[in-house]
Each structure stands twice: as structure tokens, then as C-alpha cells.
């Protein structure tokens, strides 16, 4: 499906390439907020016929521009207007909870042209989960719409007691409006004459109506907010054009995915189907953005803390201290027909919450936020030890309790993702390899902060736990015959021996000894794991391997990015360069050179995954991780030190990164080739930290 999507805060629009939402389409096109579709049809026609597409773009994320023209038009069996006589331009954006759409029609026919422009509108107020295929659901009642010459309002009374409405106006009294939502304009344009009609679509909840503004003023404010976002972000300059373009695309994509639920801005998971708070997705994306926009981490942490679990609730897979998996706000969630209010079926969100807080403190030195969230930290650590470790063996496991929940609760959450070498699926409770690494990393990092706050007893306790976990992990997960780590342990504590990308996340954690870390990195870039465009989720040749599967052979950019950060931290430069270079080449196969949520590959070909989100938060954050990995940048403001171990891609000679927000100020760094070697120079340092640079020979 070639769709167009734009978003601002909690409102987003998905249409086909022509800008239409046709009747009875099967892809879920529409205008959405709070997991409800407020516009289910928005279909433009000329004399009742589909216009022809000239071009369509939504590369700015917040706005879309679509150019159409007329087909050959007949009246009473004779030609009334030749094809391509009309230029029809649709321009749209979202601001202040309102969709603004301008339709401009210009006549290029030598004589006057008379025709009918019509827009068919409808709103079904369906819950996102019904649109995505939930078969059994109790829904509310759609009420009779109200309309006059230039306003049409659809209304709905939900089973949750909420009154929803969609108000559409167009400021033109010349239209003929029908009760079925058909709006018709009779236009007569002389040569080169142009007519413009502006629609405003306003979702309303319990009568709360967004405050409309003049279109030009709203657009100016929206563009100014994007300009400010870019100005506040770190900047890069490089002779590698594809890398520069990918980073700029990532920064812009990140901005469109930001939402604020009242605790600060944070990234939702992805469009079109996951424009909501997502534990692991939002946390990992905020981690990736730390070098460019560290404030995003603060909003993400506060949002996750606000929804932290407080009780044992099997319906939601909730336990005290657990960080949520996903929250939804629609009719089905409000009436408890689905458990996403929020749903907590994620084993990794809780340690990732701690890791983001640790890294935020290391980047910024902001211990005040840690102290503000101290009770949430304590609750998360308690969850890891008491609820995460289900059987007291020192490992964190997951097991689905909710009947409507998720069976596999790591980032590879499809039902077939944890598979033995004989092709059988692992039974839960399941202990994932990467989750043990996250827990180890979290406990060591929190111990560092406790020591800074002079809480030596708590720090020592965490370090003892981390050391015990390291011993247990090595004993239980290492596969001698394969020279690699198992993806998981199953219900019977048997290794799930399939070679996958999951152990690559351990490189960053500090859990692995140097010799084992070297073997892991070498395996990840070997022929059976590296596709040429990125590290596969599963090794070629394994029983579960399928290059076009969701989790068993595809390539996920964010998965690669976490591995890259570990390679960079381990100074595995050749491996990191190989992965970055592959992903950059892959990006050239996608629209706007945007990395999607995931993709597949056959030899020298990159293949789109049909339902991949794009833009998607942790895919947008992946190019930002490239810059951190190339710089080898790991600040620790607790020790007032910034470590740099730079490397350049083979086709690069120059990388200049400005306005890296660290500590009390900013850092500017230039990395360049000098006589075949890679050298870094600090051009500006107002961070209050000492910079330690390890100069490197060319890789």
C-alpha cells in the first residue's frame, strides 16, 4: 500500500497516494486521535470520476502536497473537458488538533471550463483495534449528522459514555451539501483562473472543540516549531552525503513522532498503527536521541514513571514496579474489552527504563531527575528481583497471564520468534539473553549513581547481584559447540540454541568478557548473519529462518543500532563500520531514504516488509546512533569525563558534529583523516567535563 501519513502531537492522518480515504478500503486509512478514527472517508472526485495522480509527497512529515489532474470528462456522450486541463493541488497539515486541507484548482484549458468538484466524507468512529482485526467488540451508536451550507458534523455516543464528534467546515457557502456527507462545488473557471477551498476537520471529545486559526497562521506556527526543534538539535557536517541525509531525515522523523501526555514530550512507537506510548520503543528511541536531543529522555522517563505498575492484575499482566508495554485510549480500552489501559506484557521495559535514566544522568549530570524518580527506581528494581525472577534462579523470565495479552514479551514479540533448532517453539516462562544484559547494565549503572549519592550499602548490594547474574548467565547461556549465546532458556531451563541477533545487545551491557564479546561480534557480521544491508534477526540456515518473516530473518535497524553501540563501546570498529555502511546502502531503497521499522533482503536486493511502520521511532533514531558509534562517544558526567574513540566509514574523510548537549554545555568535535589515520579534535567544550580521545589508525 502506497500511503501518505502526516502527524502532529496526538492527531494523525493516513490516506492513499492521491490524498483520498476511499470508501470500504482495507488498509485502515483515516484521521485518528485517541485510538479512534474520526474520518473514515474523504474522497475527492471531478464530475464523479477519480482524478489522475501527478505526484504525491509527505517528506516533511507534518505536511503533504499532492498534485492531480482530471481524466477526460464527457457530458451527454461528448467531450466536455480534455484530460490534463485542470491542475488540482491538495495541501494539508495538522496543527492544534485540526486537519487543514486546501484544494486548489487551476484551469489550463484555452476556454472556460465548467465542472463539479465533490468531496465525499464520513466518520465511523471505529476503535483502532477493530480496524486492526479484532472481531468481537461491543460498540456504541452513530447518531444522525447535522449540516448546513458550510459545516458538517458527525456524532457518536460510545459505550464508554464518551461523546465523540467530527466537525468539518470549508468556509464557502456555494456548496451543495447532502445528508450522506457529499459536498459538491459547481466551478466555472476561465483560462488560468484558480479557485481554492480550505477544509478544516476538527475531532471533538465530549464537546471539547479545538480552537481553529487562520490557515496561514497555523502553518507558520507549525513550521516555526520544526525550525526550533532543528535549531536545538546537534548538527553534523560530513562529506558523506548519504549519511548526512539519513541523519537529517531521522531528526525530522523523530520530531513528528513526539507526543505529550502531560509529562513532557516523548516519541510514540510509529505510524500508522502505533502512534501511542510504547514502553520499550519509546525508551530505546529516547536512548538513541541522547546525543541530539537529551530532553526527550526526560519526558519519556516521566511518562513511563506516571504509568508504572502499582498492583497485581493478571488481565493487564501488571505487577508493582513494572513499566508498561503499551497504552491505548479508545472505546475498547475504556470499557475494558482490551487490557491496554495500560498493558504491561513486556519483560524488557522495566530494565530499559533504568538504563535510559542512567544514560540520561551520564549525559547531563542531572541527578535531580534521578532523585525525583527515586521511588520509581526502587520499585523497578524490586520488580526485577521479585516478579521478574519468577523462580528465584537469578534470571528474569516472562510468562503471559492475560488471555488477551502477548505470548512473547521481549522485543521479538511475535508468536514464532523463540524457536528451537528443531523448529519447535519454546514454552514459557522464558528467560531472554538480552534481558539479562539489560538487568546487569541497569544494576551496575544504578550502583554508580548510588555511590555518587553516598549510598554505599545500596550500591554494594546491586554490584553483588550483578556479579552473581554474570556468573549464572555465562554458565546457562553459552553454547560451546556454536561459540555463541543461546537466545533464551525455555520453561525447563533448556537452551533455545538458535543463533539470533539478540545476544548482540549484550555487547553494550558489560556482561561479556572480552573474548566472548569478540566471538559475538564476529558471528554477527559473518555471512549467515549479515545480509549485506544489516544484521539479520536470525541466522541463515536455522530451522526458523525466513528472510521475509517479521522476526526470524528480517533486518531491524534499531536492533542493529543497539548492537552498534556495543561494538563502539568495545572498540570493535571494523564490525561497526560494516554494519553502518550496510544500513546506509539499504536506506537508498526506501522512499525519502528513510529507514523503516524493518525490511527484508534477498542477496543484493532490499525488500519492503508489507506492514512495516514508517516513520517509526527507533528506526528514526538509528542514524543518530550511527553518529555516536562513529565518534565512539560515551560521556560520564558523574566522573566529569567524556570518552571519544572515533572511526570513519571507508568513503568518509570528514565528520564535524556541533552542539552535542553534554553536562553543563555543549561539545563540538571534528573527526578527519590525516595521512590515512583517523584523528579527532575538540573545537569547543563548555560541558565542564574532560575529554579523553583515543586516536585511531584507519579501519
Amino acid at each position: 500500500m502506497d500511503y501518505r501519513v502526516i502527524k502532529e502531537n496526538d492527531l494523525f492522518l493516513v490516506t492513499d497516494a492521491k490524498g483520498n480515504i476511499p470508501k470500504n478500503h482495507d488498509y485502515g486509512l483515516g484521521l485518528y486521535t485517541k485510538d479512534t478514527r474520526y474520518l473514515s472517508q474523504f474522497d475527492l472526485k471531478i464530475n464523479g470520476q477519480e482524478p489522475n495522480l501527478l505526484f504525491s509527497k509527505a517528506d516533511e512529515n507534518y505536511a503533504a502536497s499532492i498534485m492531480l489532474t482530471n481524466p477526460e470528462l464527457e457530458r451527454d456522450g461528448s467531450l466536455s473537458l480534455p484530460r490534463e486541463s485542470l491542475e488540482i493541488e491538495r495541501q494539508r497539515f495538522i496543527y492544534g488538533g485540526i486537519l487543514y486541507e486546501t484544494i486548489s484548482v487551476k484551469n489550463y484549458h484555452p476556454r472556460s471550463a465548467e465542472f463539479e468538484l465533490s468531496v465525499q466524507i464520513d466518520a465511523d468512529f471505529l476503535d483502532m483495534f477493530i480496524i486492526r482485526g479484532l472481531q468481537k467488540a461491543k460498540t456504541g451508536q452513530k447518531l444522525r449528522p447535522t449540516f448546513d451550507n458550510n459545516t458538517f458534523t458527525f456524532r457518536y455516543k460510545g459505550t464508554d459514555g464518551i461523546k465523540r464528534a467530527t466537525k468539518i467546515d470549508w468556509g464557502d457557502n456555494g456548496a451543495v451539501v447532502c445528508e450522506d456527507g457529499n459536498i459538491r462545488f459547481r466551478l466555472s473557471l476561465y483560462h488560468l483562473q484558480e479557485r481554492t477551498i480550505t477544509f478544516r476537520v476538527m475531532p471533538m471529545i465530549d464537546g471539547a472543540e479545538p480552537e481553529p486559526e487562520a490557515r496561514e497562521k497555523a502553518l507558520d506556527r507549525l513550521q516555526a516549531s520544526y525550525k526550533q526543534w532543528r535549531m536545538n538539535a546537534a548538527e553534523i557536517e560530513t562529506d558523506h552525503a548519504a549519511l548526512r541525509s539519513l541523519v537529517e531525515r531521522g531528526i525530522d522523523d523523530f520530531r513528528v513522532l513526539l507526543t505529550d501526555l502531560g509529562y513532557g514530550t516523548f516519541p510514540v512507537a510509529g505510524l500508522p498503527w502505533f502512534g501511542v506510548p510504547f514502553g520499550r520503543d519509546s525508551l530505546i528511541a529516547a536512548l538513541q536521541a541522547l546525543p541530539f536531543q537529551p530532553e526527550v529522555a526526560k519526558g519519556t522517563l516521566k511518562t513511563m514513571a506516571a504509568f508504572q505498575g502499582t498492583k497485581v492484575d493478571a488481565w493487564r499482566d501488571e505487577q508493582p514496579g513494572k513499566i508498561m508495554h503499551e497504552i491505548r485510549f479508545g472505546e475498547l480500552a475504556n470499557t475494558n474489552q482490551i487490557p491496554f489501559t495500560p498493558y504491561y506484557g513486556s519483560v524488557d521495559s522495566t530494565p530499559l527504563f533504568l538504563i535510559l535514566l542512567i544514560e540520561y544522568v551520564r549525559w547531563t549530570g542531572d541527578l535531580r531527575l534521578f532523585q525525583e524518580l527515586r521511588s520509581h527506581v526502587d520499585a523497578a528494581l524490586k520488580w526485577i528481583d521479585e516478579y521478574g525472577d519468577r523462580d528465584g534462579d537469578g534470571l528474569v523470565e516472562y510468562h503471559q497471564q492475560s488471555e488477551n495479552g502477548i505470548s512473547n514479551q521481549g522485543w521479538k514479540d511475535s508468536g514464532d520468534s523463540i524457536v528451537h533448532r528443531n523448529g519447535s517453539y519454546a514454552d514459557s516462562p522464558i528467560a531472554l539473553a538480552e534481558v539479562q544484559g539489560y538487568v546487569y547494565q541497569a544494576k551496575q549503572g544504578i550502583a554508580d549513581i548510588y555511590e555518587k549519592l553516598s549510598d554505599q550499602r545500596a550500591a554494594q548490594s546491586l554490584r553483588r547481584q550483578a556479579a552473581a547474574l554474570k556468573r549464572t548467565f555465562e554458565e546457562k547461556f553459552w553454547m560451546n559447540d556454536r561459540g555463541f549465546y543461546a537466545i533464551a532458556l525455555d520453561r525447563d531451563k533448556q537452551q533455545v540454541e538458535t543463533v539470533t541477533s539478540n545476544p548482540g545487545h549484550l555487547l553494550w551491557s558489560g556482561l561479556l568478557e572480552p573474548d566472548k564479546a569478540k566471538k559475538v561480534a564476529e558471528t554477527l557480521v559473518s555471512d549467515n548473519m549479515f545480509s549485506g544491508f544489516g544484521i539479520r534477526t536470525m541466522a541463515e540456515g536455522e530451522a526458523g529462518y525466513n528472510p521475509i518473516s517479521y522476526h526470524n530473518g528480517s533486518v531491524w535497524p534499531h536492533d542493529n543500532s543497539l548492537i552498534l553501540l556495543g561494538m563502539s563501546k568495545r572498540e570493535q570498529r571494523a564490525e561497526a563500520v560494516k554494519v553502518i555502511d550496510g544500513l546506509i546502502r539499504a536506506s537508498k531503497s526506501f522512499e525519502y531514504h528513510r529507514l523503516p521499522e524493518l525490511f527484508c533482503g534477498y542477496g543484493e536486493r532490499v525488500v519492503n516488509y508489507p506492514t512495516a511502520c514508517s516513520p517509526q521511532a527507533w528506526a528514526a533514531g538509528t542514524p543518530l546512533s550511527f553518529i555516536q558509534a562513529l565518534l565512539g562517544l560515551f560521556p560520564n558526567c558523574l566522573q566529569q569525563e567524556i570518552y571519544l574513540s572515533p572511526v570513519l566509514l571507508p568513503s568518509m574523510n570528514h565528520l564535524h558534529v556541533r552542539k552535542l548537549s553534554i553536562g553543563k554545555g555543549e561539545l563540538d568535535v571534528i573527526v578527519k583523516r590525516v595521512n590515512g589515520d583517523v584523528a579527532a579534535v575538540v573545537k569547543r567544550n563548555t560541558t565542564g567535563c574532560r575529554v579523553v580521545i583515543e586516536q585511531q589508525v584507519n579501519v
Side-chain angles (χ1 to χ4, degrees):
M1 171 68 189
D2 186 12
Y3 62 84
R4 290 288 172 264
V5 58
I6 59 173
K7 174 187 174 293
E8 178 63 12
N9 202 14
D10 196 34
L11 184 64
F12 69 91
L13 173 71
V14 191
T15 71
D16 65 17
K18 292 182 179 180
N20 283 333
I21 306 169
K23 187 177 180 63
N24 297 326
H25 55 84
D26 59 2
Y27 195 72
L29 306 178
L31 180 70
Y32 293 86
T33 188
K34 301 299 181 188
D35 293 303
T36 302
R37 182 161 62 184
Y38 280 80
L39 196 62
S40 57
Q41 188 175 10
F42 196 64
D43 206 2
L44 173 69
K45 287 185 168 57
I46 301 294
N47 281 7
Q49 296 187 48
E50 283 271 345
N52 296 327
L53 179 65
L54 296 176
F55 73 82
S56 174
K57 67 185 183 73
D59 55 332
E60 292 177 313
N61 297 315
Y62 62 84
S65 179
I66 299 156
M67 190 70 74
L68 309 163
T69 190
N70 64 288
E72 188 173 276
L73 302 179
E74 295 184 356
R75 183 190 304 158
D76 299 327
S78 61
L79 180 67
S80 65
L81 191 64
R83 59 184 298 169
E84 288 106 33
S85 295
L86 304 176
E87 177 188 86
I88 308 162
E89 184 175 13
R90 307 179 74 169
Q91 293 185 326
R92 55 171 59 137
F93 66 90
I94 293 170
Y95 185 74
I98 299 172
L99 166 65
Y100 294 81
E101 164 124 1
T102 297
I103 302 173
S104 300
V105 186
K106 189 172 184 177
N107 177 26
Y108 280 97
H109 189 55
R111 296 189 297 274
S112 293
E114 294 186 0
F115 55 92
E116 180 184 86
L117 182 149
S118 65
V119 177
Q120 181 71 50
I121 57 174
D122 198 4
D124 59 13
F125 301 98
L126 284 181
D127 189 283
M128 176 71 80
F129 275 76
I130 296 175
I131 293 166
R132 288 172 54 196
L134 186 65
Q135 298 298 315
K136 296 180 180 179
K138 183 180 179 182
T139 58
Q141 178 185 7
K142 187 175 178 181
L143 307 177
R144 185 170 181 172
T146 59
F147 59 97
D148 56 27
N149 284 338
N150 64 349
T151 302
F152 201 107
T153 304
F154 297 98
R155 302 180 188 279
Y156 178 83
K157 184 177 181 181
T159 56
D160 53 3
I162 294 176
K163 296 178 181 179
R164 298 171 173 87
T166 304
K167 180 179 178 181
I168 304 165
D169 68 35
W170 52 91
D172 190 307
N173 292 320
V176 176
V177 184
C178 300
E179 187 174 0
D180 67 353
N182 189 262
I183 306 165
R184 302 196 302 271
F185 302 87
R186 289 297 308 174
L187 302 181
S188 179
L189 302 178
Y190 54 76
H191 177 57
L192 297 184
Q193 185 180 6
E194 186 173 4
R195 174 78 179 274
T196 298
I197 303 163
T198 297
F199 287 87
R200 296 185 303 196
V201 184
M202 294 164 276
M204 298 187 293
I205 299 174
D206 279 338
E209 183 175 339
E211 185 174 340
E213 297 187 79
R215 177 189 179 278
E216 292 74 18
K217 185 176 181 180
L219 183 57
D220 286 346
R221 290 189 176 186
L222 180 60
Q223 289 173 332
S225 75
Y226 269 78
K227 183 178 179 181
Q228 189 63 47
W229 165 259
R230 296 182 188 113
M231 287 177 59
N232 291 342
E235 302 171 352
I236 77 160
E237 177 187 320
T238 177
D239 56 346
H240 197 301
L243 174 62
R244 182 180 67 251
S245 175
L246 199 53
V247 170
E248 291 171 353
R249 166 59 52 197
I251 292 171
D252 283 353
D253 284 352
F254 215 94
R255 165 62 181 81
V256 78
L257 293 167
L258 293 181
T259 296
D260 190 342
L261 297 182
Y263 310 98
T265 55
F266 70 95
V268 297
L271 299 178
W273 311 128
F274 298 99
V276 293
F278 238 80
R280 77 170 66 87
D281 296 56
S282 299
L283 291 162
I284 288 175
L287 271 168
Q288 295 167 321
L290 275 171
F292 287 81
Q293 290 279 13
E295 283 297 303
V296 171
K298 183 184 289 188
T300 305
L301 288 163
K302 287 186 173 183
T303 301
M304 295 301 152
F307 293 98
Q308 190 173 26
T310 59
K311 62 185 180 299
V312 175
D313 182 349
W315 170 242
R316 293 175 176 81
D317 276 327
E318 179 183 2
Q319 290 122 17
K322 198 175 186 182
I323 299 298
M324 71 169 173
H325 169 68
E326 177 184 1
I327 188 170
R328 295 286 178 168
F329 304 95
E331 182 178 10
L332 299 191
N334 294 341
T335 53
N336 213 32
Q337 296 181 68
I338 57 173
F340 293 80
T341 59
Y343 175 63
Y344 292 86
S346 168
V347 71
D348 48 7
S349 294
T350 306
L352 284 169
F353 169 79
L354 297 173
I355 289 172
L356 178 60
L357 180 56
I358 293 160
E359 292 301 312
Y360 172 80
V361 171
R362 286 175 174 169
W363 278 84
T364 66
D366 182 6
L367 284 168
R368 289 173 298 178
L369 180 63
F370 182 87
Q371 291 167 325
E372 178 185 337
L373 298 178
R374 177 67 184 264
S375 63
H376 299 281
V377 171
D378 293 342
L381 288 168
K382 187 174 182 180
W383 177 85
I384 288 170
D385 292 339
E386 294 187 5
Y387 294 96
D389 184 2
R390 300 174 60 88
D391 54 8
D393 67 347
L395 301 172
V396 172
E397 303 93 4
Y398 66 81
H399 177 70
Q400 175 191 350
Q401 293 180 292
S402 174
E403 61 183 274
N404 282 17
I406 298 170
S407 58
N408 282 323
Q409 298 185 355
W411 83 261
K412 293 179 180 175
D413 56 5
S414 53
D416 63 351
S417 62
I418 313 300
V419 55
H420 284 282
R421 294 198 75 193
N422 63 8
S424 64
Y425 299 138
D427 293 322
S428 67
I430 291 172
L432 289 169
E434 75 273 19
V435 171
Q436 316 315 315
Y438 299 157
V439 170
Y440 179 87
Q441 188 173 353
K443 289 189 173 184
Q444 291 281 48
I446 296 296
D448 289 343
I449 297 175
Y450 282 165
E451 287 177 347
K452 187 70 176 179
L453 296 174
S454 300
D455 192 343
Q456 299 297 332
R457 178 177 296 179
Q460 290 171 5
S461 175
L462 287 177
R463 294 204 192 282
R464 285 194 297 270
Q465 293 171 21
L469 172 57
K470 188 171 187 175
R471 291 191 296 270
T472 301
F473 178 82
E474 190 64 31
E475 176 188 344
K476 300 293 186 181
F477 281 81
W478 179 252
M479 301 183 293
N480 275 319
D481 59 332
R482 313 207 73 186
F484 201 67
Y485 289 97
I487 181 177
L489 303 183
D490 67 9
R491 177 184 59 194
D492 300 319
K493 298 301 178 182
Q494 297 299 305
Q495 292 180 347
V496 182
E497 320 92 323
T498 302
V499 173
T500 66
S501 61
N502 298 54
H505 296 205
L506 301 169
L507 295 171
W508 188 31
S509 70
L511 185 61
L512 306 184
E513 293 299 325
D515 60 328
K516 298 294 179 60
K518 184 175 184 294
K519 290 181 179 180
V520 167
E522 290 172 348
T523 298
L524 293 171
V525 296
S526 64
D527 290 344
N528 65 342
M529 277 297 290
F530 189 73
S531 69
F533 300 100
I535 298 167
R536 298 184 178 102
T537 44
M538 183 179 289
E540 188 174 13
E542 296 289 350
Y545 173 76
N546 179 351
I548 56 172
S549 71
Y550 195 56
H551 286 132
N552 294 344
S554 56
V555 175
W556 286 65
H558 95 277
D559 182 32
N560 281 246
S561 78
L562 292 179
I563 294 169
L564 280 168
L565 289 178
M567 288 176 170
S568 178
K569 194 171 185 179
R570 293 277 185 173
E571 299 183 359
Q572 295 165 330
R573 298 178 187 86
E575 292 85 352
V577 163
K578 183 174 182 178
V579 177
I580 293 172
D581 190 60
L583 287 168
I584 291 173
R585 288 190 294 110
S587 71
K588 298 175 184 178
S589 299
F590 303 108
E591 189 174 40
Y592 312 134
H593 292 177
R594 169 191 283 151
L595 285 170
E597 177 186 18
L598 73 153
F599 60 88
C600 311
Y602 287 94
E604 294 302 312
R605 297 182 61 190
V606 174
V607 179
N608 281 292
Y609 189 82
T611 59
C613 286
S614 183
Q616 205 264 359
W618 57 18
T622 294
L624 311 187
S625 297
F626 292 172
I627 301 303
Q628 184 180 354
L630 289 172
L631 293 176
L633 173 62
F634 295 94
N636 190 342
C637 291
L638 294 176
Q639 299 177 356
Q640 295 185 308
E641 186 171 275
I642 299 169
Y643 182 76
L644 287 169
S645 180
V647 67
L648 293 174
L649 299 173
S651 53
M652 286 177 71
N653 293 299
H654 174 81
L655 175 64
H656 186 179
V657 187
R658 304 183 187 89
K659 300 193 304 180
L660 286 161
S661 183
I662 302 173
K664 298 176 182 178
E666 294 180 340
L667 183 71
D668 293 359
V669 179
I670 293 178
V671 183
K672 55 187 177 181
R673 292 193 194 279
V674 179
N675 297 323
D677 296 339
V678 174
V681 177
V682 174
K683 298 297 290 184
R684 185 171 66 101
N685 181 10
T686 61
T687 65
C689 299
R690 181 174 68 99
V691 179
V692 178
I693 303 175
E694 182 174 338
Q695 306 290 6
Q696 294 300 327
V697 175
N698 183 23
V699 174

